[in-house]
CSV table of all heavy atoms in Angstrom, one decimal:
chain,number,residue,atom,x,y,z
A,37,ASP,N,3.5,15.2,30.9
A,37,ASP,CA,4.2,16.0,31.9
A,37,ASP,C,5.5,15.5,32.3
A,37,ASP,O,5.7,14.9,33.4
A,37,ASP,CB,3.2,16.1,33.2
A,37,ASP,CG,3.8,17.1,34.2
A,37,ASP,OD1,4.3,18.1,33.8
A,37,ASP,OD2,3.7,16.7,35.4
A,38,PRO,N,6.5,15.6,31.5
A,38,PRO,CA,6.6,16.2,30.1
A,38,PRO,C,6.5,15.2,29.0
A,38,PRO,O,6.6,14.0,29.3
A,38,PRO,CB,8.0,16.9,30.1
A,38,PRO,CG,8.8,15.9,30.9
A,38,PRO,CD,7.9,15.3,31.9
A,39,PRO,N,6.4,15.6,27.8
A,39,PRO,CA,6.4,14.7,26.6
A,39,PRO,C,7.8,14.1,26.6
A,39,PRO,O,8.8,14.8,26.9
A,39,PRO,CB,6.2,15.6,25.4
A,39,PRO,CG,5.6,16.9,25.9
A,39,PRO,CD,6.1,17.0,27.3
A,40,THR,N,7.9,12.8,26.2
A,40,THR,CA,9.2,12.1,26.1
A,40,THR,C,9.4,11.7,24.7
A,40,THR,O,8.5,11.8,23.8
A,40,THR,CB,9.2,10.8,27.0
A,40,THR,OG1,8.2,9.9,26.4
A,40,THR,CG2,8.8,11.1,28.4
A,41,LYS,N,10.6,11.2,24.4
A,41,LYS,CA,10.9,10.6,23.1
A,41,LYS,C,10.0,9.4,22.8
A,41,LYS,O,9.7,9.2,21.6
A,41,LYS,CB,12.4,10.3,23.0
A,41,LYS,CG,13.3,11.5,22.8
A,41,LYS,CD,14.7,11.1,22.5
A,41,LYS,CE,15.6,12.3,22.3
A,41,LYS,NZ,17.0,11.9,22.0
A,151,PHE,N,11.3,1.7,28.5
A,151,PHE,CA,11.4,1.9,30.0
A,151,PHE,C,11.2,3.4,30.4
A,151,PHE,O,11.3,3.8,31.5
A,151,PHE,CB,12.8,1.5,30.5
A,151,PHE,CG,13.9,2.2,29.8
A,151,PHE,CD1,14.5,3.3,30.4
A,151,PHE,CD2,14.4,1.9,28.5
A,151,PHE,CE1,15.5,4.1,29.8
A,151,PHE,CE2,15.4,2.6,27.9
A,151,PHE,CZ,16.0,3.7,28.5
A,152,ILE,N,10.9,4.3,29.4
A,152,ILE,CA,10.9,5.7,29.6
A,152,ILE,C,9.4,6.1,30.0
A,152,ILE,O,8.5,5.7,29.3
A,152,ILE,CB,11.3,6.5,28.4
A,152,ILE,CG1,12.7,6.1,28.0
A,152,ILE,CG2,11.2,8.0,28.6
A,152,ILE,CD1,13.1,6.8,26.7
A,153,SER,N,9.3,6.8,31.1
A,153,SER,CA,8.0,7.4,31.4
A,153,SER,C,8.3,8.8,31.9
A,153,SER,O,9.4,9.2,32.3
A,153,SER,CB,7.3,6.6,32.6
A,153,SER,OG,8.1,6.7,33.7
A,154,SER,N,7.2,9.7,31.8
A,154,SER,CA,7.4,11.1,32.2
A,154,SER,C,7.8,11.1,33.7
A,154,SER,O,8.6,11.9,34.1
A,154,SER,CB,6.0,11.8,32.1
A,154,SER,OG,5.7,11.8,30.7
A,155,SER,N,7.2,10.2,34.5
A,155,SER,CA,7.5,10.3,35.9
A,155,SER,C,8.9,9.9,36.2
A,155,SER,O,9.6,10.5,37.1
A,155,SER,CB,6.5,9.5,36.8
A,155,SER,OG,6.3,8.2,36.2
A,156,LEU,N,9.4,8.9,35.5
A,156,LEU,CA,10.9,8.5,35.7
A,156,LEU,C,11.8,9.6,35.2
A,156,LEU,O,12.8,9.9,35.9
A,156,LEU,CB,11.1,7.2,34.9
A,156,LEU,CG,12.2,6.3,35.5
A,156,LEU,CD1,12.1,6.1,37.0
A,156,LEU,CD2,12.1,4.9,34.8
A,157,VAL,N,11.5,10.3,34.1
A,157,VAL,CA,12.3,11.4,33.6
A,157,VAL,C,12.3,12.5,34.7
A,157,VAL,O,13.4,13.0,35.0
A,157,VAL,CB,11.7,11.9,32.3
A,157,VAL,CG1,12.3,13.3,31.9
A,157,VAL,CG2,12.0,10.9,31.1
A,158,LYS,N,11.2,12.8,35.2
A,158,LYS,CA,11.1,13.9,36.3
A,158,LYS,C,12.0,13.5,37.5
A,158,LYS,O,12.7,14.3,38.0
A,158,LYS,CB,9.7,14.1,36.7
A,158,LYS,CG,9.0,15.0,35.7
A,158,LYS,CD,7.6,15.4,36.2
A,158,LYS,CE,6.6,14.2,36.2
A,158,LYS,NZ,5.2,14.6,36.4
A,159,GLU,N,11.9,12.2,37.9
A,159,GLU,CA,12.6,11.8,39.1
A,159,GLU,C,14.1,11.9,38.8
A,159,GLU,O,14.9,12.4,39.7
A,159,GLU,CB,12.2,10.3,39.4
A,159,GLU,CG,12.9,9.9,40.7
A,159,GLU,CD,12.4,8.5,41.1
A,159,GLU,OE1,11.3,8.1,40.8
A,159,GLU,OE2,13.2,7.8,41.7
A,160,VAL,N,14.6,11.4,37.7
A,160,VAL,CA,16.0,11.4,37.3
A,160,VAL,C,16.5,12.9,37.3
A,160,VAL,O,17.5,13.3,37.8
A,160,VAL,CB,16.3,10.7,36.0
A,160,VAL,CG1,17.7,10.9,35.6
A,160,VAL,CG2,16.0,9.2,36.2
A,161,PHE,N,15.6,13.7,36.6
A,161,PHE,CA,16.0,15.1,36.4
A,161,PHE,C,16.1,15.8,37.8
A,161,PHE,O,17.0,16.6,38.1
A,161,PHE,CB,15.0,15.9,35.5
A,161,PHE,CG,15.4,17.3,35.3
A,161,PHE,CD1,16.4,17.6,34.4
A,161,PHE,CD2,14.8,18.3,35.9
A,161,PHE,CE1,16.8,18.9,34.1
A,161,PHE,CE2,15.1,19.6,35.7
A,161,PHE,CZ,16.1,19.9,34.8
A,162,GLU,N,15.1,15.6,38.7
A,162,GLU,CA,15.1,16.2,40.0
A,162,GLU,C,16.3,15.8,40.8
A,162,GLU,O,16.7,16.6,41.7
A,162,GLU,CB,13.7,15.9,40.7
A,162,GLU,CG,12.6,16.9,40.1
A,162,GLU,CD,11.2,16.4,40.4
A,162,GLU,OE1,11.0,15.4,41.2
A,162,GLU,OE2,10.3,16.9,39.8
A,163,GLN,N,16.8,14.6,40.5
A,163,GLN,CA,18.0,14.2,41.3
A,163,GLN,C,19.3,14.5,40.5
A,163,GLN,O,20.3,13.9,40.6
A,163,GLN,CB,18.0,12.7,41.5
A,163,GLN,CG,16.8,12.2,42.4
A,163,GLN,CD,16.7,12.9,43.8
A,163,GLN,OE1,17.8,13.1,44.4
A,163,GLN,NE2,15.5,13.2,44.2
A,165,GLY,N,20.1,14.1,37.4
A,165,GLY,CA,20.6,13.1,36.4
A,165,GLY,C,20.4,13.7,35.0
A,165,GLY,O,19.7,14.7,34.8
A,167,VAL,N,18.9,13.7,31.5
A,167,VAL,CA,17.8,13.1,30.8
A,167,VAL,C,17.8,13.4,29.3
A,167,VAL,O,16.8,13.2,28.6
A,167,VAL,CB,16.4,13.5,31.4
A,167,VAL,CG1,16.4,13.0,32.8
A,167,VAL,CG2,16.3,15.0,31.4
A,170,PHE,N,16.4,11.1,26.7
A,170,PHE,CA,15.0,10.6,26.9
A,170,PHE,C,13.9,11.6,26.4
A,170,PHE,O,12.7,11.2,26.3
A,170,PHE,CB,14.7,10.2,28.3
A,170,PHE,CG,15.8,9.3,29.0
A,170,PHE,CD1,16.4,9.7,30.1
A,170,PHE,CD2,16.1,8.2,28.3
A,170,PHE,CE1,17.4,8.9,30.7
A,170,PHE,CE2,17.1,7.3,28.9
A,170,PHE,CZ,17.7,7.7,30.1
A,171,VAL,N,14.3,12.8,26.2
A,171,VAL,CA,13.3,13.8,25.9
A,171,VAL,C,13.7,14.7,24.7
A,171,VAL,O,14.9,14.8,24.4
A,171,VAL,CB,13.0,14.8,27.1
A,171,VAL,CG1,12.4,14.1,28.3
A,171,VAL,CG2,14.3,15.5,27.5
A,175,VAL,N,12.0,20.0,25.3
A,175,VAL,CA,11.6,19.6,26.6
A,175,VAL,C,12.8,19.7,27.6
A,175,VAL,O,12.6,20.2,28.7
A,175,VAL,CB,11.0,18.1,26.6
A,175,VAL,CG1,10.7,17.6,28.0
A,175,VAL,CG2,9.7,18.1,25.8
A,179,LEU,N,12.9,21.8,30.9
A,179,LEU,CA,13.2,21.3,32.2
A,179,LEU,C,14.4,22.1,32.8
A,179,LEU,O,14.3,22.5,34.0
A,179,LEU,CB,13.7,19.8,32.0
A,179,LEU,CG,12.6,18.8,31.9
A,179,LEU,CD1,13.2,17.5,31.4
A,179,LEU,CD2,11.9,18.5,33.2
Side-chain angles (χ1 to χ4, degrees):
D37 184 42
T40 66
K41 285 189 178 176
F151 62 95
I152 302 175
S153 64
S154 299
S155 46
L156 207 46
V157 164
K158 280 186 286 193
E159 184 176 332
V160 171
F161 184 77
E162 279 160 13
Q163 300 301 324
V167 296
F170 310 127
V171 295
V175 174
L179 281 165

